[in-house]
Amino acid sequence: MMILRCPAQLQLLEETLRKSLPTTLPVLGTVMTVARGNPASHEVLVDSWPHFGVVLTRLRPEEHRDPRDYYANQLAVFYRDKGALHALLRGTEAVNPARAFQILGTQDGLDEAVQEVASARGLKVE
């Protein structure tokens, strides 16, 4: 996963996400916030650039205070490729299973993917 920090990259991502509204709404808001100064200390991650399969937004890891606070550790996700979503949930450090977290997204299949990965890791999902 790579973190997008460049204003031009964030602007291009914003334009791309706008084309798929309302499905992209959970991540688009954070992308817009980060591109406009980032007062909430979030970051935008993609699996590849510029042809991404999944976008994840989250609070910067150094801003986490309590590993049990799933309200502070909200993740928003948009994916074009279900395989990229599974790879994100299974094999990257972008999602830390040692912390309580929420995943926000509007796409069909997100809940099933989270349930599948969680059960494979022996984690509880509510």
Side-chain angles (χ1 to χ4, degrees), residues 107-118:
Q107 293 172 275
D108 290 336
L110 177 60
D111 185 53
E112 292 84 12
V114 171
Q115 292 283 354
E116 179 183 315
V117 172

Side-chain angles (χ1 to χ4, degrees), residues 88-102:
L88 167 75
L89 295 173
R90 281 192 187 129
T92 68
E93 294 178 15
V95 178
N96 184 350
R99 297 185 165 277
F101 61 88
Q102 294 183 55

Side-chain angles (χ1 to χ4, degrees), residues 37-98:
N38 199 15
S41 298
H42 281 87
E43 56 189 12
V44 178
L45 294 91
V46 292
D47 61 335
S48 60
W49 185 256
H51 304 288
F52 62 89
V54 65
V55 178
L56 177 80
T57 64
R58 66 180 186 187
L59 187 65
R60 289 183 184 149
E62 60 270 13
E63 297 295 325
H64 292 267
R65 305 278 189 261
D66 183 357
R68 298 166 295 163
D69 185 359
Y70 57 88
Y71 286 109
N73 192 17
Q74 290 186 5
L75 312 171
V77 68
F78 168 74
Y79 58 93
R80 293 177 170 169
D81 174 20
K82 213 172 203 178
L85 174 65
H86 281 272
L88 167 75
L89 295 173
R90 281 192 187 129
T92 68
E93 294 178 15
V95 178
N96 184 350

